[in-house]
Amino acid sequence: MGKNNTTPIAPEVAAESLDPQDWEQARSLMHQMVDDAIDFIAGVRERPIWQEMPDEVLETFQTSLPQEPQSAEAVYQEFKENILPYPMGTVHPRFWAWYMGAGTFSGAAADFLASITNSNLGGGNHAAHKVEEQVINWMKEIMGFPATASGLLVSGGSMANLLGLTVGRNVQAGYDLREEGIKDGKRFTVYASTEVHSCNQKAVELLGMGSRSLRKIAVNEDYTINLDALREQIERDRCEGLQPICVIGSAGTVNTGAVDDIDALADLCAAEGLWLHIDGAIGAIGMLADNVRPQIAALSRADSLAIDLHKWMHMPFEAACVLVKNQDAHKNTFALIPEYLAKNTRGVASGSNWFSEYGPQLSRRFRALKVWMSLKEHGAKKFGRMIARNVEQAHYLKDLIEQHPDLELIAPVGMDIVCFRYQPAGLNTEALNALNKEIKLQLEERGIAAPGYTTLGGRYCLRIAISNHRSREEDFDLLVEQVCRIGEEIRN
Ligand SMILES: *Cc1c(COP(=O)(O)O)cnc(C)c1O
């Protein structure tokens, strides 16, 4: 561009940045945010778990793009009025829905610091990279994986499963699948129980194998994969010219917390030459707890393992980890190094083991910091105690249910998941299903608790997933009391 075309930048614009104009004012607003955050967490037990957003609040989310500035104070005020009072409720001691974690205060503080430093974990020679490496090494140590294994922190269990299955598919293909894609006529098949989490089916679909290729194998009475049915299906598929590549074992299913017989799956995979991937989104971190470890210890035999850290380890969303036993296989699946990502021998672009070579993402947030700071602050043993206590609480709740004439346990307690229903005499299945659905909704609408739900053998039940470091025994007493009270009220 010719010199004549440039207009001088106005002085007020030339000095402009996105930083606060007044640092002292910013400091005082930030201090206010911290104070409010502490009150929010410290007082959570006293508040309703959830409340419906009123129309006036919903309307505020319909306004069009703000072009002009407002003060940071005004924006924060809006957050306090329209967002803060209407959370999902995961931080509450009686949040037991789906399967989540409760978050931690120090994890949130670490997330703030991670954003302040704004490091990019794609690659490079900087401390954040060392932190993630160390966290991955700790995960290997917890899971009984060898030091030579590789890993990556990812957004959640869904991504961890996708990455593990991607490596498995590429290794098992037997040709250069990265270059050639899935060749004409190749039908790879993957095996898991009917209880496997849906994200694994999405992964199989994304990997171009089609959902038909995910063979969902029948379960036993305890909801674990039926090994005879698995063997038969593999044999049948081989006879039909399909190419079995992988078995996905569940270390804690989402419905009932069932743990597949991982040792037997590992034997079978070794004998059949298949990749063993374990979906440990729920259970894997239970390796820290004495009353979970024996059940899942064989996951160290997996070729790849998905571990969620924002579930039973309570890291603020998002945090998970995938481990792959064969580092070369992992790297061969994802490494692609154009000139602009070539490493220098010195400076910020040096260092080895760039994380962009272990997954599809280039830019990545510094999610390792919250895990690193939390494990240092609390120690692994304390996380183990919190997990173990949830398992004990599940059995405490089971006892309350079994002692109550109007309550029925619907499935064996799997780790920390309890499925039950309110079942007064004289109602058929349909009526009981409707009644229990209504009880669930009223527990939420009255702000008492957030239970999960599932249907097992046609029976709708409340599903209490106790992945919560704030729950106490009294919370389960209250749950049982309120379920029965609401149930009676609805019937009368
Ligand atoms: C939650 C869950 C997932 C998915 O994990 P996200 O962290 O939600 O992506 C996968 N498998 C199981 C068994 C789960 O419970």
Side-chain angles (χ1 to χ4, degrees), residues 300-329:
S300 65
R301 296 181 67 189
D303 295 299
S304 54
L305 169 65
I307 310 156
D308 238 324
L309 303 174
H310 57 211
K311 289 185 173 176
W312 223 353
M313 206 185 147
H314 308 294
M315 291 299 101
F317 296 110
E318 306 160 337
C321 180
V322 60
L323 294 181
V324 178
K325 195 155 291 158
N326 181 337
Q327 172 144 198
D328 291 337

Side-chain angles (χ1 to χ4, degrees), residues 320-385:
C321 180
V322 60
L323 294 181
V324 178
K325 195 155 291 158
N326 181 337
Q327 172 144 198
D328 291 337
H330 191 177
K331 215 163 174 171
N332 287 340
T333 301
F334 295 108
L336 184 63
I337 308 175
E339 203 275 329
Y340 47 82
L341 294 176
K343 297 181 191 76
N344 298 154
T345 51
R346 287 158 37 214
V348 67
S350 63
S352 57
N353 217 25
W354 287 15
F355 292 116
S356 52
E357 292 160 27
Y358 291 88
Q361 267 186 284
L362 178 53
S363 295
R364 301 170 62 253
R365 65 172 283 111
F366 188 13
R367 59 168 56 85
L369 187 61
K370 58 192 161 197
V371 187
W372 189 87
M373 287 179 79
S374 298
L375 278 167
K376 283 192 177 253
E377 179 190 344
H378 298 297
K381 283 185 185 160
K382 181 164 183 189
F383 281 101
R385 285 202 300 279

Side-chain angles (χ1 to χ4, degrees), residues 162 165-166 168-190 202-214 241-243 245:
L162 174 63
L165 293 172
T166 308
R169 181 200 60 172
N170 288 13
V171 167
Q172 293 282 316
Y175 63 91
D176 187 349
L177 191 144
R178 281 188 72 178
E179 175 158 347
E180 303 195 40
I182 295 185
K183 285 186 188 169
D184 271 359
K186 280 276 178 196
R187 276 275 320 272
F188 300 133
T189 46
V190 176
K202 284 198 203 176
V204 168
E205 292 169 5
L206 284 167
L207 291 172
M209 297 188 273
S211 59
R212 259 196 313 161
S213 300
L214 178 60
L242 308 179
Q243 187 179 336
I245 58 170

Side-chain angles (χ1 to χ4, degrees), residues 99 155-159 161 197 199-200 252-254 279 281-282 308 310-311:
Y99 195 99
S155 56
S158 304
M159 285 305 289
N161 284 314
H197 193 277
C199 70
N200 293 289
T253 59
V254 66
D279 179 353
I282 287 183
D308 238 324
H310 57 211
K311 289 185 173 176

